[in-house]
Amino acid sequence: ETGVTQTPRHLVMGMTNKKSLKCEQHLGHNAMYWYKQSAKKPLELMFVYSLEERVENNSVPSRFSPECPNSSHLFLHLHTLQPEDSALYLCASSQEGEVNYGYTFGSGTRLTVV
Amino acid sequence: AQSVTQLDSQVPVFEEAPVELRCNYSSSVSVYLFWYVQYPNQGLQLLLKYLSGSTLVKGINGFEAEFNKSQTSFHLRKPSVHISDTAEYFCAGIRMDSSYKLIFGSGTRLLVRP
């Protein structure tokens, strides 16, 4: 499989649940990103991992916890979420320092918090 | 502030008509510029990019964009749209620091009507 794969595609969870989103890239990239896309709002960059180290955290609440065990995998652990956290969560990857190819995105996980 | 501005949140157009989606970038964004397209329930797909050279850039699906340094613009055009072009279009630029991070505009929804 090539590209960036996100699972699950859809997730419904209660506010007291704990769940995880998974992202896997097969492009040999060394940087990975989590974005949040809410209705009628710009794409929000949440976390950036470069060479498996978190290099950026844009004031994201602690109920979102990222994990990057290796350069191919990125997780977003979720716990005690709020209804306003319902959104499309997009993962992307890139080759750090190379602008030629931009970012490659996964298809996203549609999260609904009830 | 670092920004990419898409002035139109939605552009309705009839099938086979020409369309232009506007994008302006601030001086804090580099001249590495991209357009992405997002079809319903999918991730973002690279449409075209400007890195250097000819200011007219051709992309997939018959789209093209023109880089205009004096107007700090990178408008996307298509001479004749299809129903299947209905999607969200995002303009993006590389941040003017060493991080090579992408900054996205707020998106423009292209709605093609029969």
Side-chain angles (χ1 to χ4, degrees):
Chain A
E1 201 171 338
T2 59
V4 178
T5 304
Q6 288 187 245
T7 54
R9 290 296 308 273
H10 301 273
L11 178 62
V12 179
M13 59 185 288
M15 288 190 283
T16 58
N17 291 159
K18 286 185 181 182
K19 297 285 184 183
S20 295
L21 310 185
K22 180 182 176 183
C23 176
E24 188 173 356
Q25 59 98 0
H26 303 273
L27 300 167
H29 288 164
N30 58 12
M32 297 185 78
Y33 312 83
W34 279 117
Y35 282 86
K36 177 183 179 183
Q37 188 178 30
S38 305
K40 301 188 189 308
K41 290 177 71 174
L43 278 164
E44 300 173 54
L45 178 61
M46 300 175 73
F47 300 105
V48 179
Y49 275 83
S50 175
L51 299 171
E52 299 155 40
E53 280 192 45
R54 191 191 314 178
V55 296
E56 194 159 325
N57 175 348
N58 286 326
S59 305
V60 179
S62 59
R63 56 186 185 268
F64 295 90
S65 174
E67 179 190 2
C68 187
N70 55 61
S71 59
S72 299
H73 294 86
L74 185 66
F75 295 90
L76 188 62
H77 304 300
L78 317 170
H79 65 97
T80 59
L81 294 191
Q82 305 297 311
E84 61 264 27
D85 297 321
S86 298
L88 181 68
Y89 288 84
L90 292 166
C91 174
S93 70
S94 72
Q95 188 62 20
E96 189 79 352
E98 287 191 22
V99 300
N100 289 10
Y101 305 106
Y103 291 8
T104 302
F105 282 84
S107 299
T109 295
R110 174 70 63 185
L111 174 67
T112 303
V113 181
V114 297
Chain B
Q2 304 174 350
S3 71
V4 174
T5 304
Q6 292 180 248
L7 293 170
D8 305 305
S9 60
Q10 182 166 298
V11 173
V13 64
F14 287 108
E15 193 174 19
E16 297 183 8
V19 71
E20 178 179 86
L21 305 183
R22 296 181 293 170
C23 172
N24 289 88
Y25 62 95
S26 73
S27 58
S28 57
V29 174
S30 75
V31 294
Y32 299 130
L33 299 163
F34 303 79
W35 275 99
Y36 284 83
V37 59
Q38 185 180 31
Y39 298 105
N41 297 313
Q42 293 191 28
L44 277 68
Q45 178 184 354
L46 182 65
L47 204 54
L48 50 77
K49 61 191 176 194
Y50 173 78
L51 303 178
S52 65
S54 173
T55 56
L56 184 63
V57 180
K58 293 190 184 300
I60 61 172
N61 301 341
F63 282 92
E64 62 183 31
E66 185 155 20
F67 170 68
N68 188 318
K69 188 174 181 179
S70 62
Q71 297 185 6
T72 60
S73 68
F74 190 54
H75 301 332
L76 181 70
R77 301 187 184 102
K78 187 169 182 178
S80 175
V81 294
H82 243 263
I83 297 283
S84 59
D85 291 323
T86 294
E88 191 88 19
Y89 291 80
F90 293 92
C91 184
I94 297 286
R95 262 184 359 204
M96 277 288 277
D97 55 25
S98 59
S99 69
Y100 294 96
K101 299 298 180 290
L102 269 180
I103 299 175
F104 285 90
S106 54
T108 297
R109 177 159 178 73
L110 176 62
L111 182 59
V112 182
R113 296 167 172 160

